[in-house]
Amino acid sequence: MGEVDPAFIQDLEHRPKLSIIQAEGIPIIDLSPISNHTVSDPSSIENLVKQIGSACKEWGFFQVTNHGVPLTLRQNIEKASRLFFAQNLEEKRKVSRDESSPNGYYDTEHTKNIRDWKEVFDFQAKDPTFIPVTFDEHDDRVTHWTNHSPQYPPNFRDIIEEYVQEVEKLSFKLLEIIALSLGLEAKRFEEFFIKDQTSFIRLNHYPPCPSPHLALGVGRHKDIGALTILAQDDVGGLEVKRKADQEWIRVKPTPGAYIINVGDLIQVWSNDLYESVEHRAMVNSEKERFSIPFFLFPAHYTEVKPLEELTNDQNPAKYRPYNWGKFLVRRKGSNFKKLNVENIQIYHYKIA
């Protein structure tokens, strides 16, 4: 990725500061009460529900340990990711994604209409994944996205599928705890994911950047789904916008932990009780960095709106309903070309 092309350069107000504020306070939460095979006592579950509820409210982000995802699976996918990205560009482009099937390899993604300093490999959790053909609300046609199967590294597809199965289990456990923290039934969110979910996993590679004060690995953004389960390597680079003072805070990697953040769907479903928080990824001039986020997305036909249990006359719904599949198709379009306007956001559905 050599010299910094102007396409990568962030507007002045969004350029990264090279002085780092290390995160103080982003909670590290021990999930033993729900990942141990022994029956946990109710008070430890209750305590966990409080901790996660408070983290969702105050930060929108938290880290989890003792999460139950086998370390070997994480090591396998991290190794496979490094081997895949170490290939020459010609090999990687054999499994390139395009507008008709947005899975596979890609190195020209845009966030907020600025190019990201990274290359990615995307893989759907369900193959095939059913999705609307267009974002036109009068068009009922459905198509499907499938996954590429690179020849190298060996068993790449199996390694990803095995890993996805485990992080998916973790995300459903976390959804239950989040539901309880909102005063809902534990399985309240399950109906949106039980069949035809549109979740996907992404392998990120951020090469060293000659001008880390001008470019970002991923520009500032909020995640559009329900939850993101992020594995980052020990180089680190994730920054979160602290709600208290809007400062950018670096999230220091905790060995073996996952970083979790709530996305826009939880914000809408909770009617703004929990907020999806802006974050970005830094790059540096010496080291390459790898990360692996899993994005938990519902079925394409899901109607997204504040949950009835969390709205009443005193606290009316703050969002108009929208169709998840149409929203997703519209969002994906901006990954392939620079738009003249900001891409669709949940605030476009906010009731004034």
Side-chain angles (χ1 to χ4, degrees), residues 121-250:
F121 181 83
D122 286 349
F123 193 91
Q124 294 297 140
K126 300 289 175 243
D127 189 357
T129 289
F130 295 98
I131 207 80
V133 172
T134 69
F135 57 78
D136 177 352
E137 60 189 65
H138 303 297
D139 187 345
D140 294 331
R141 290 173 302 153
V142 173
T143 184
H144 62 269
W145 294 341
T146 55
N147 289 320
H148 283 291
S149 294
Q151 297 302 301
Y152 182 85
N155 306 320
F156 197 26
R157 189 184 183 107
D158 295 342
I159 290 165
I160 296 174
E161 284 176 349
E162 206 176 349
Y163 178 80
V164 164
Q165 224 173 352
E166 291 300 320
V167 283
E168 195 181 271
K169 279 184 207 162
L170 172 60
S171 56
F172 286 138
K173 284 180 192 169
L174 289 168
L175 268 189
E176 288 190 16
I177 297 292
I178 289 169
L180 291 170
S181 76
L182 289 164
L184 303 165
E185 291 284 323
K187 304 275 188 194
R188 179 63 178 91
F189 296 118
E190 201 172 83
E191 63 180 276
F192 305 123
F193 303 91
I194 207 71
K195 193 170 171 275
D196 299 333
Q197 56 168 295
T198 52
S199 308
F200 77 102
I201 191 165
R202 165 167 288 179
L203 310 181
N204 284 318
H205 174 225
Y206 305 96
C209 175
S211 304
H213 59 295
L214 297 178
L216 285 165
V218 184
R220 72 197 195 285
H221 67 286
K222 297 181 176 194
D223 289 350
I224 61 172
L227 287 180
T228 304
I229 315 277
L230 175 74
Q232 65 167 343
D233 66 11
D234 58 0
V235 174
L238 174 69
E239 291 196 336
V240 174
K241 193 176 259 192
R242 187 163 55 193
K243 287 168 77 171
D245 56 9
Q246 302 297 293
E247 279 285 357
W248 285 106
I249 305 295
R250 178 71 59 96

Side-chain angles (χ1 to χ4, degrees), residues 53-310:
S54 155
C56 290
K57 208 173 179 62
E58 288 165 33
W59 283 95
F61 269 82
F62 53 96
Q63 298 194 57
V64 295
T65 58
N66 294 314
H67 41 67
V69 178
L71 180 61
T72 50
L73 294 188
R74 177 155 165 183
Q75 288 168 335
N76 289 346
I77 197 169
E78 285 174 350
K79 183 182 173 192
S81 172
R82 286 171 185 271
L83 289 171
F84 174 79
F85 287 119
Q87 297 178 101
N88 65 44
L89 197 53
E90 191 186 345
E91 285 303 312
K92 290 183 283 196
R93 284 192 172 154
K94 285 178 181 172
V95 287
S96 280
R97 70 187 207 200
D98 57 38
E99 284 181 73
S100 62
S101 182
N103 294 307
Y105 176 75
Y106 202 61
D107 63 352
T108 53
E109 188 153 274
H110 288 75
T111 301
K112 305 279 187 196
N113 287 325
I114 308 280
R115 194 170 157 193
D116 295 329
W117 191 270
K118 67 172 181 188
E119 51 181 353
V120 307
F121 181 83
D122 286 349
F123 193 91
Q124 294 297 140
K126 300 289 175 243
D127 189 357
T129 289
F130 295 98
I131 207 80
V133 172
T134 69
F135 57 78
D136 177 352
E137 60 189 65
H138 303 297
D139 187 345
D140 294 331
R141 290 173 302 153
V142 173
T143 184
H144 62 269
W145 294 341
T146 55
N147 289 320
H148 283 291
S149 294
Q151 297 302 301
Y152 182 85
N155 306 320
F156 197 26
R157 189 184 183 107
D158 295 342
I159 290 165
I160 296 174
E161 284 176 349
E162 206 176 349
Y163 178 80
V164 164
Q165 224 173 352
E166 291 300 320
V167 283
E168 195 181 271
K169 279 184 207 162
L170 172 60
S171 56
F172 286 138
K173 284 180 192 169
L174 289 168
L175 268 189
E176 288 190 16
I177 297 292
I178 289 169
L180 291 170
S181 76
L182 289 164
L184 303 165
E185 291 284 323
K187 304 275 188 194
R188 179 63 178 91
F189 296 118
E190 201 172 83
E191 63 180 276
F192 305 123
F193 303 91
I194 207 71
K195 193 170 171 275
D196 299 333
Q197 56 168 295
T198 52
S199 308
F200 77 102
I201 191 165
R202 165 167 288 179
L203 310 181
N204 284 318
H205 174 225
Y206 305 96
C209 175
S211 304
H213 59 295
L214 297 178
L216 285 165
V218 184
R220 72 197 195 285
H221 67 286
K222 297 181 176 194
D223 289 350
I224 61 172
L227 287 180
T228 304
I229 315 277
L230 175 74
Q232 65 167 343
D233 66 11
D234 58 0
V235 174
L238 174 69
E239 291 196 336
V240 174
K241 193 176 259 192
R242 187 163 55 193
K243 287 168 77 171
D245 56 9
Q246 302 297 293
E247 279 285 357
W248 285 106
I249 305 295
R250 178 71 59 96
V251 182
K252 189 179 176 189
T254 301
Y258 282 101
I259 298 163
I260 314 295
N261 63 285
V262 299
D264 289 348
L265 291 178
I266 296 279
Q267 180 167 334
V268 174
W269 285 330
S270 73
N271 206 31
D272 284 352
L273 283 171
Y274 294 162
E275 189 187 335
S276 173
V277 172
E278 211 165 38
H279 51 287
R280 65 186 187 183
M282 304 284 278
V283 284
N284 66 69
S285 54
E286 284 103 48
K287 292 180 176 173
E288 60 182 343
R289 174 179 176 248
F290 295 86
S291 72
I292 304 174
F294 171 75
F295 300 99
L296 184 68
F297 286 0
H300 73 87
Y301 41 76
T302 302
E303 185 186 49
V304 183
K305 60 183 181 182
L307 298 178
E308 286 164 18
E309 302 96 308
L310 300 175

